[in-house]
Amino acid sequence: MNELKNWYLSKTVWGGLVAILASCGNLFGLDIAPEDQSGVVDGLTTLVAAVGGLVAIWGRISARTRLR
């Protein structure tokens, strides 16, 4: 239970953000159904994980210190 993860890897956080954006979108005529919100959350968490992996690889490539 002591495992920690970054906030942006949390489906709960992304779900909350999508819910907020979906409700704000209603003000501008954009309607995202609740069943579609789940797909958006899954897609966003996958995208964020992929970007995180790319940033980690880029960080290692551009690092000035060698690994043993």
Side-chain angles (χ1 to χ4, degrees), residues 5 9 13 19 24-25 29-30 34 36-38 44-45 49-53 56-57 59 61-62 65 68:
K5 65 179 174 182
L9 296 177
V13 170
C24 290
L30 178 66
D36 293 335
Q37 289 180 20
S38 175
L44 286 174
T45 54
V51 169
I57 291 170
I61 290 171
S62 63
T65 341
R68 291 183 193 202

Side-chain angles (χ1 to χ4, degrees), residues 8-51:
Y8 53 82
L9 296 177
S10 170
K11 284 191 176 185
T12 304
V13 170
W14 285 107
L17 289 172
V18 168
I20 291 168
L21 291 174
S23 63
C24 290
N26 284 332
L27 296 173
F28 301 103
L30 178 66
D31 186 25
I32 301 176
E35 54 273 4
D36 293 335
Q37 289 180 20
S38 175
V40 171
V41 169
D42 288 340
L44 286 174
T45 54
T46 301
L47 178 65
V48 168
V51 169

